[in-house]
Amino acid sequence: FRDTGVSASYEFEPLANLIFTRDQQITTARGVVMASLRSPQRQHEIKIMKFCFQKLGIKVLGQVERPGYLEGGDFFPAGKDLCFVGVGLRSNELAVKQLMANDFLGTRRVAIVKDPFDKSQDRMHLDCVFSILSDDCVLMLEDMVGPDSPTRRLVDEYARDEATGKYALAREGVEFSQYLGENGFKIIPVTSEEQLQYACNVVNLGDSCILSCHAPTARKICRSPHFSGTMEYVEYSAITAMYGALHCSTQVVKRG
């Protein structure tokens, strides 16, 4: 036995959630914006993804700063006119107001989809309960639909003044499914059981080319008269076992 007289301790900060590359940033109509994650253990992920973008030659417009919180699973673009940003357990309204103030979103309208009633970890991001399949078709958790739903989401819409370039509140407290209908979207409903199996967590590759890891929902989408795109089922159980799915673990770096 030989005592060196030296003691050592080691500290690790594992990047256990880095595979879920949706959250560290959003890609808007204007470009890439780095997010602000709620969990302290995920802060290094933002630095790593920003480093990767720099290596790839992809410009980063800016970053959401605390006390604003934004996670990419809460962001959905819907063309040049509109985007959706969920606020609730993970993202907050302060972050959305930063995005609007800095003109990082690039759309004429911004729909803030609020979760004032549900606040469940099983539905912590907007992409847990909602996804855009085409210009006029969406997936949505059926339990959220309607003004009497106890888990309904409410939309505050901000519109940009073309003269000043500033956003101002145009409407508030509109039930989410009503808002979607008013904007020309048809809803394909997803049951609560399907939602827990990541039915809504699909990836739209563009032109309504959809990837899904939930076979029953993939078939439901294909059978719907509202959907006219293409569908590919992906076996993804190794990732869903880590509490995420296709949308969570992918990221768009450039939008057309």
Side-chain angles (χ1 to χ4, degrees):
F1 174 77
R2 185 167 73 95
D3 187 355
T4 64
V6 177
S7 63
S9 62
Y10 302 91
E11 183 176 294
F12 294 91
E13 296 185 57
L15 300 168
N17 291 300
L18 186 58
I19 192 169
F20 298 120
T21 51
R22 181 66 56 170
D23 289 332
Q24 302 89 357
Q25 63 285 302
I26 62 174
T27 303
T28 73
R30 293 202 59 221
V32 174
V33 180
M34 304 312 296
S36 174
L37 304 180
R38 280 278 185 183
S39 302
Q41 66 268 26
R42 298 195 69 185
Q43 297 309 307
H44 292 312
E45 297 176 35
I46 298 172
K47 300 173 187 176
I48 290 171
M49 292 301 293
K50 187 174 183 179
F51 173 80
C52 291
F53 291 134
Q54 290 170 343
K55 285 294 184 181
L56 291 168
I58 297 171
K59 180 182 177 181
V60 173
L61 294 176
Q63 182 167 343
V64 171
E65 302 292 343
R66 293 185 178 186
Y69 289 99
L70 175 72
E71 301 194 355
D74 277 319
F75 177 76
F76 279 93
K80 295 180 179 180
D81 182 64
L82 176 66
C83 68
F84 296 93
V85 189
V87 301
L89 281 184
R90 311 303 292 178
S91 302
N92 64 16
E93 202 164 343
L94 286 172
V96 188
K97 289 184 176 179
Q98 284 185 38
L99 294 171
M100 291 190 290
N102 290 296
D103 195 21
F104 285 158
L105 294 167
T107 53
R108 185 179 67 86
R109 295 181 296 152
V110 178
I112 301 179
V113 185
K114 296 183 173 182
D115 174 17
F117 307 112
D118 189 19
K119 299 180 181 178
S120 168
Q121 185 71 15
D122 289 331
R123 294 171 292 280
M124 62 180 177
H125 288 143
L126 189 57
D127 69 0
C128 295
V129 295
F130 169 80
S131 194
I132 298 175
L133 302 177
S134 70
D135 292 341
D136 60 0
C137 182
V138 301
L139 277 178
M140 185 171 170
L141 174 62
E142 64 182 6
D143 289 357
M144 285 170 35
V145 175
D148 298 322
S149 166
T151 59
R152 66 192 180 278
R153 270 50 170 176
L154 301 177
V155 175
D156 289 354
E157 182 189 88
Y158 285 78
R160 184 171 58 195
D161 185 311
E162 295 302 324
T164 65
K166 303 296 184 182
Y167 287 92
L169 182 65
R171 304 175 67 192
E172 62 181 325
V174 184
E175 191 270 320
F176 190 23
S177 66
Q178 176 189 333
Y179 183 84
L180 291 168
E182 292 172 353
N183 282 274
F185 290 101
K186 304 295 185 182
I187 296 172
I188 299 177
V190 168
T191 68
S192 56
E193 181 180 355
E194 291 167 340
Q195 182 269 324
L196 290 172
Q197 297 174 43
Y198 303 101
C200 291
N201 207 262
V202 302
V203 170
N204 188 337
L205 298 177
D207 296 325
S208 300
C209 178
I210 307 299
L211 302 181
S212 172
C213 64
H214 188 250
T217 299
R219 289 192 288 268
K220 179 188 293 189
I221 293 170
C222 291
R223 291 168 181 161
S224 172
H226 305 315
F227 180 72
S228 58
T230 59
M231 171 64 66
E232 188 78 27
Y233 169 73
V234 180
E235 204 292 316
Y236 219 55
S237 59
I239 305 301
T240 57
M242 300 167 66
Y243 302 103
L246 283 159
H247 195 263
C248 298
S249 58
T250 56
Q251 182 53 261
V252 174
V253 295
K254 184 178 181 182
R255 300 196 186 277

